[in-house]
Amino acid sequence: MAMPPARAWRGLSLLFFLLPLVPAALINLLSGQIRQLLGTLLGLGLGFLAFRMLRRGGPRRETAAVALVGVATGLAAGLAANLHPVGALLLGLGAAWGAKLAYTDPKPAAAIEGVAAPPPDPLEAAAPRIAALARSAPRLPVPKVAEAAEALGALMVELRARPNRPEDARRFLLVMLDGLERIAARLAAGAEPPPTLPALLEDMIEGAGDMRRRLREAETLALDVQVKVLSDRLRQEGLA
């Protein structure tokens, strides 16, 4: 299977740092310096193994490659270069840290907790409830349930068309919808409608109509005020 281009080049800089060990190993072999030869061969072998792991990728292989780079550097420094064990250890740790920075993927930054999302608008959640009630109401034994659902739907349209959405109209819609859903659920379960139910439903229908008229009257009054303010401004500017 072909290797991704980015991974194929990964770790090549590590081979560049291993190149000086090749002539050093040859010199140590010809001079018969077994200890130094062992250090250079270990450095070359472990370093090349780390390079292979980096090319294959994966978090575990990257971690192992970083450790191998540190061990290879420490052994090469201590055995081949006759460095003091403490110095070789520090050099190995430094090489491992540099390999970690160069060859491992950084951990994803922790998500910054933003401002809490605003709570859902109960009015928007009421829209599918009204639609479901309007679909089921015609099958109920009391026809006025469907009329009441239609009246609440019309009020919902009026409210959604207004950004300010007066609180009294919102509360009326939600309270009436909750009650109408309970009535519809009881009727669907087989309950006998009491004699007072038609009058109650008629009150709900009339209340929804009255609320719609109040909303329109408020909009009309607001428009009258805006027209008066604009007319006064035009007269002040000498444009009317």
Side-chain angles (χ1 to χ4, degrees), residues 51-223:
F51 165 70
R52 291 291 302 274
M53 287 185 173
L54 288 175
R55 281 170 58 89
R56 294 176 65 184
R60 293 185 178 180
R61 294 191 183 97
E62 289 175 354
T63 303
V66 167
L68 285 176
V69 169
V71 173
T73 303
L75 290 175
L79 297 177
N82 295 320
L83 194 65
H84 191 276
V86 177
L89 176 62
L90 294 177
L91 194 61
L93 291 175
W97 178 252
K100 178 179 176 62
L101 296 178
Y103 301 123
T104 61
D105 294 326
K107 293 182 180 180
I112 300 176
E113 295 184 1
V115 180
D121 187 357
L123 188 62
E124 292 301 326
R129 295 169 57 191
I130 294 176
L133 186 59
R135 289 192 300 268
S136 62
R139 297 191 295 269
L140 299 177
V142 181
K144 281 192 176 295
V145 174
E147 297 179 21
E150 183 180 354
L152 291 182
L155 178 58
M156 180 72 181
V157 172
E158 293 284 347
L159 282 173
R160 297 182 77 174
R162 291 164 173 77
N164 58 337
R165 296 176 180 176
E167 182 60 30
D168 57 340
R170 285 165 47 96
R171 184 169 56 252
F172 174 87
L173 175 68
L174 295 176
V175 171
M176 292 300 102
L177 176 58
D178 185 67
L180 192 59
E181 283 179 328
R182 294 174 185 272
I183 292 172
R186 295 294 183 184
L187 292 174
E192 291 292 332
T196 56
L197 180 58
L200 173 64
L201 294 174
E202 186 64 34
D203 289 342
M204 294 177 65
I205 296 170
E206 292 180 359
D210 290 341
M211 187 62 68
R212 291 175 59 197
R213 284 190 292 272
R214 288 169 53 187
L215 290 173
R216 292 178 179 179
E217 290 172 358
E219 291 296 328
T220 301
L221 180 60
L223 179 60

